[in-house]
Structures are given as structure tokens and as C-alpha cells.
Amino acid sequence: MNKPINDSINSSENENTPRVFSKQETADIAEAAVKFASDSGSIKVSISSWWGAGQRWSRNKTSMSSDQRDVMVKIESKKNGGWGEAQTNQIDLDSLKGVIGIAEYYATESADNRALDRMMEKAFWNSPGSNVWSDKTFDPNIMKFVSAIEKVTKMASDDSLLSAGYVGTTGNTAFVYARDEWGRVSTDWGEVTEATCSMTVRHPKGLGSGWAARTSFDISKISIDDIANKAYDKCKASLDPVRIEPGRYTAILEPQAVGELLIGLLWSLKRIFPEQGHKGSPILGGYNQEVNRHYSKLGWKIVDERINLYHDPEDPFVGTHKSDMVGKVNLITNGILTTIFNSYTHEVNEMSELNPSTFRTSFRMDGTDTSTEEMIRGTRKGILITKLAQSHLIDPQSLLFTGVTRDGLWLIENGKISKAVRNFRWIESPMFIFNNIDQIGIEEPISSYWWARGKLIPDFQNSLNNRVVPTMKVRDFNFSSTIDAI
């Protein structure tokens, strides 16, 4: 960076560079940037700062220890119907002036391209932002993880097994300044922390594998020892798997596997995709030619009536009591679809009132007190699945996905786990699975995809990835073929 804006915002070359900027510091950057903007049109300045630290190890040896930080300034300009965007990671005055100029140039050049739906601004409103923060997670002393990692690697090494994993924390702050073409100003502020621990224990000859992980905004809610023991135990139990025939089996899906299917279902609740010309999903019931729009199944029963899925920022496992994000959103209640995610562009074009039900990446599905052991005892023949991986959509209209099982798969016979089995490729739709449930078990927090640097883009509704999901016992899960990978 060049000369900083003021003494409270330091250069990256300075050893005193803050790990993240405060609300006042980011507001100062925004104020300095908008002075270079023209008076016509609208301008939006997003400033985000990110810090991350972590330890990674493989084959029982530490392979990486990091302490990283970054900043992003994103400018969006709208002039005479045109739209332009530019960004930089420099916060000196010359860079801010330059990036404003680039965004306004693009806006001017695209002024005739009025068909772009993205040019429609969101309705003018003050977003509550988010405040999901843990000082324990923001503790910079990454060395505190070393003793736990050493314990994991020694446990695996003593048993001639290999361990690999990652423990990391991040902190992210973001400030958004928006001025519309009438001169009205709104601001957003958010701060988020997140921690993750993911661990795999494997046999050196590929004869077995175990995995466990957890994500939370609060590192104190993650027990590295518990994760290590779970991964180790699963590896030992999965050794020497046998190959069995593919087909449809009763399946007991551990929470991580259920969470993978839920993400596929959640993406189908985004109404922006079908209404911009995509074929849509089973969530959309059909096409109304009179209004030139797909109609939805909002208010219809779409899954088993025992399913309740919601986002609640007050949930101590999903959010925190400090959160002031948009309130609780019920997605599915007693199997009935109660919310379809809107986009800002859709709200302005099609709705008379603002409905801030934008896409959420954190959620909870209610469970029961039925244990996994009880499900196993009631199963004559079935498969116990640790997790589903590498899933991708192959048919959007039926929500048909394919993927593979990973890191622990066992055959259940006559109410007992009889043997470890080789992994399968699966082909299945969440709509089929969530309408074919025998039992719902105990819910527990799971591991989520860790956005890390992706959080540099301020998106307060998507700031959290904490998910709580139950175990499920389902009928006729489709395993299409066996695979050799563990």
C-alpha cells in the first residue's frame, strides 16, 4: 500500500497492521473514497478486511502454519442506467481515486445496455448487518493448537496410521456505504468470526479411512480431541472393507451426509434462477403464461411432515445472542414450504414491498431423541453412511444429484454392524430422500464448507456457515456402483 488515509489505518508493510479494521476505520476509507465520486448517479462502496490463521498437517507432520490478512475495497457505480464495478486491495488516496474512476467509466460505457437485470438496485433500506463474533476465535495465538495436533499425530503414528487435517480461525469485518441518485445514504456494518477443524485418519495402504470435522463461529465450541478420536475410531472400524452389490438400500445417514443433501435442496429455493430463464426445479410447480412466470409450491407440502428447517440468528449453535441480523426465517415447517429465497433484483422488479428473505447459509433442522444405535437395532439390512462427497447436480428439474460416499461405510445386518464395505457412487434426489424417511435422530452441529477469503465480499446474510442437522434413516437410497477409493 502507499500512504495511508490516516494514522489509524496502517500500511501492510507496517508491522502494526491491524488484523481487521474497525467500523470507524472502514467508515473513514468509505468517506475518503466517495469524495472522488461524481455527484450524478449512485455509488456503493464496500470495504472488507480479513484475517486468518491456521495449522495444516499431513502424514503425521505439520505442513503449514499461517497468519494472513487482506483488505478489499469494491466500488459499484450506476449512471444513466449503466452499471460499473471495480475493486482494489489498496487504501491510499490515489488507489481509491483510480478505482472510483474505473467503476464510473464502466458505468458510462454500459449506459445503453439497459436490459441487464443486475442494473436494478436493491430497494433503499438499512440492513441490520451482523455481529456474530467470538473473541476466543479471534485470539491470534495459533500455537495453542500445536499440543492437540501433536496428540492426534502421535495417536495415529503409534498405530501405523496416517493423519491429516486443518485447524483454523478467521475474523472478517465489513462496512458498506451506499448513496442513491437522490442523495440518500445508507450504511451496513458487520463482523464475523469462524473456526473450523477437519481431520482424516487413514491406513497407509488405503485399507480404511475415518473423518470428522466441525465448524463454529466460536472456537471454544470445537473439541479437537473429540474430532480426533472420532476420526481415529472410524478409521479403525472401516479397515479391510468388502465389496457388496450396488442397489437400493435402507440407509442411515449421519448428520454430515444429511447436510450435503440439504444444501442441494436449499439452492433450489432461490427463485432468481428459474425466473431468469432456467428450467427450474421441483420447487416450481409449473409455468403461468399469463404472467410469464413460473409458479412455486409455496405453501405446499414438499417433504416429510416431520421436517422443520429454519435459520435463526439467535440460535446459540447457528448464530449467537449478540446477532442483530434479519430475524428468524422458517424455510420448511412440518414439511410445508414456507419461504422461497428472494434476490434484490427480483424484489425491485416484481414485488411491491421489500422481503429481505435472501439466501442463508446457516440453518437448523430439528431432530428427535432417537439415537443412531436405536436406528441400527431396528434395521434388518442397510448401510451406515459417514458422509457424502463430490456431489453435483445432474438434472435441475428433478433435483437429481450424484456423488460418492467417503471415510466410513458399514453394512448393517439383523440390527448390528456386520462389516465395513467399499464405497459407492450414489445417484439420488433430496426430494425423494426427504419424502422417504423412516426415522429422524438426534441433531448435532456439522462441518460446513469454509469460505475463508471468500468472506472478503460483504454479504451479511451469508456470513455464517454453522449448521445443525439430525441423523436420518431413509428407505431405498440408490447406490449406483461401487468405487475403489476410500
Side-chain angles (χ1 to χ4, degrees):
M1 299 179 190
N2 298 321
K3 183 179 178 181
I5 295 172
N6 56 45
D7 291 339
S8 67
I9 304 176
N10 299 300
S11 161
S12 63
E13 285 104 20
N14 193 310
E15 62 180 5
N16 296 319
T17 301
R19 286 182 288 148
V20 296
F21 291 149
S22 67
K23 182 178 181 179
Q24 185 59 54
E25 289 169 334
T26 49
D28 289 343
I29 299 173
E31 182 180 348
V34 296
K35 291 179 179 179
F36 298 113
S38 62
D39 294 332
S40 62
S42 61
I43 188 77
K44 182 178 179 182
V45 183
S46 305
I47 304 103
S48 184
S49 57
W50 173 89
W51 166 83
Q55 290 244 355
R56 190 182 303 277
W57 72 98
S58 62
R59 303 185 70 85
N60 298 334
K61 294 181 180 180
T62 298
S63 57
M64 183 274 289
S65 182
S66 67
D67 186 301
Q68 306 173 70
R69 59 201 72 188
D70 202 355
V71 62
M72 183 192 74
V73 179
K74 178 182 177 182
I75 307 297
E76 295 173 81
S77 174
K78 181 185 176 186
K79 296 167 67 70
N80 300 320
W83 181 88
E85 176 185 323
Q87 63 185 46
T88 180
N89 65 350
Q90 305 296 309
I91 59 173
D92 60 276
L93 296 177
D94 289 341
S95 296
L96 294 177
K97 181 179 180 179
V99 77
I100 288 279
I102 293 171
E104 292 191 339
Y105 170 79
Y106 287 142
T108 301
E109 289 296 305
S110 64
D112 293 331
N113 192 4
R114 296 176 182 269
L116 285 176
D117 192 45
R118 71 179 303 175
M119 286 160 42
M120 297 296 293
E121 292 181 332
K122 72 176 183 179
F124 190 85
W125 67 302
N126 285 298
S127 165
S130 66
N131 180 21
V132 185
W133 187 271
S134 168
D135 289 335
K136 294 178 181 178
T137 302
F138 199 61
D139 184 347
N141 185 15
I142 196 67
M143 295 303 292
K144 67 183 181 181
F145 300 134
V146 170
S147 60
I149 295 172
E150 288 178 345
K151 181 178 178 180
V152 172
T153 55
K154 185 177 187 304
M155 179 172 63
S157 180
D158 289 347
D159 217 352
S160 299
L161 299 173
L162 300 175
S163 69
Y166 179 74
V167 181
T169 59
T170 67
N172 191 71
T173 66
F175 181 87
V176 179
Y177 172 100
R179 188 192 70 200
D180 67 12
E181 55 189 310
W182 296 280
R184 297 178 300 179
V185 173
S186 65
T187 59
D188 292 351
W189 162 255
E191 53 183 3
V192 173
T193 55
E194 190 164 273
T196 189
C197 177
S198 176
M199 203 172 303
T200 302
V201 178
R202 289 189 170 183
H203 189 278
K205 294 185 178 180
L207 301 180
S209 178
W211 174 91
R214 175 81 182 276
T215 303
S216 176
F217 72 94
D218 187 349
I219 187 66
S220 66
K221 298 182 182 296
I222 297 177
S223 171
I224 299 177
D225 285 347
D226 288 349
I227 293 172
N229 290 332
K230 186 175 181 179
Y232 175 84
D233 291 343
K234 282 184 173 292
C235 177
K236 295 286 288 185
S238 68
L239 292 176
D240 301 318
V242 301
R243 189 183 300 273
I244 63 173
E245 288 299 313
R248 290 195 174 273
Y249 289 84
T250 294
I252 298 177
L253 305 167
E254 291 191 351
Q256 194 68 40
V258 176
E260 185 78 7
L261 292 173
L262 273 176
I263 289 297
L265 176 61
L266 282 177
W267 278 106
S268 72
L269 299 182
K270 296 183 72 171
R271 70 189 304 167
I272 184 174
F273 295 129
E275 294 183 359
Q276 286 188 335
H278 294 255
K279 292 183 178 180
S281 73
I283 301 302
L284 297 165
Y287 190 78
N288 187 330
Q289 293 183 345
E290 293 182 1
V291 296
N292 195 31
R293 285 290 182 268
H294 290 268
Y295 62 85
S296 75
K297 292 184 179 179
L298 195 65
W300 294 21
K301 180 180 176 296
I302 61 170
V303 291
D304 190 287
E305 61 272 8
R306 289 169 288 181
I307 290 183
N308 290 287
L309 183 67
Y310 52 91
H311 167 96
D312 186 358
E314 299 299 322
D315 189 323
F317 290 100
V318 177
T320 172
H321 67 282
K322 294 196 301 180
S323 174
D324 57 359
M325 292 172 66
V326 173
K328 181 177 179 179
V329 176
N330 293 308
L331 307 175
I332 297 174
T333 303
N334 298 327
I336 297 172
L337 179 64
T338 52
T339 296
I340 292 180
F341 295 119
N342 295 307
S343 69
Y344 292 136
T345 51
H346 173 83
E347 289 160 4
V348 173
N349 284 322
E350 305 298 336
M351 301 180 67
S352 59
E353 296 182 1
L354 179 68
N355 178 3
S357 296
T358 53
F359 187 69
R360 310 298 172 89
T361 54
S362 64
F363 52 80
R364 175 189 282 268
M365 178 186 283
D366 288 337
T368 70
D369 57 0
T370 303
S371 67
T372 303
E373 291 73 20
E374 184 177 344
M375 291 182 181
I376 293 173
R377 287 196 296 271
T379 303
R380 187 182 67 82
K381 186 175 183 180
I383 303 289
L384 175 62
I385 304 172
T386 296
K387 74 171 181 176
L388 305 175
Q390 301 176 21
S391 59
H392 62 273
L393 183 66
I394 56 178
D395 180 18
Q397 290 186 296
S398 63
L399 274 191
L400 191 66
F401 284 79
T402 186
V404 295
T405 60
R406 279 288 187 267
D407 300 307
L409 197 68
W410 295 273
L411 178 66
I412 302 169
E413 294 180 300
N414 300 318
K416 296 180 180 180
I417 294 178
S418 61
K419 62 191 73 172
V421 296
R422 285 281 182 180
N423 280 302
F424 288 106
R425 172 161 292 280
W426 55 272
I427 300 178
E428 200 54 271
S429 168
M431 299 301 293
F432 177 81
I433 292 302
F434 294 141
N435 277 291
N436 220 18
I437 299 173
D438 268 345
Q439 292 176 290
I440 296 178
I442 300 170
E443 74 268 26
E444 64 180 61
I446 63 173
S447 172
S448 309
Y449 180 80
W450 206 36
W451 293 100
R453 283 181 176 270
K455 287 188 177 179
L456 280 172
I457 300 175
D459 189 351
F460 301 133
Q461 307 302 333
N462 293 343
S463 293
L464 293 173
N465 297 306
N466 304 306
R467 299 159 190 168
V468 181
V469 179
T471 303
M472 278 189 184
K473 179 179 176 181
V474 301
R475 302 180 296 274
D476 299 327
F477 194 93
N478 183 23
F479 299 101
S480 59
S481 62
T482 56
I483 59 175
D484 291 327
I486 61 171

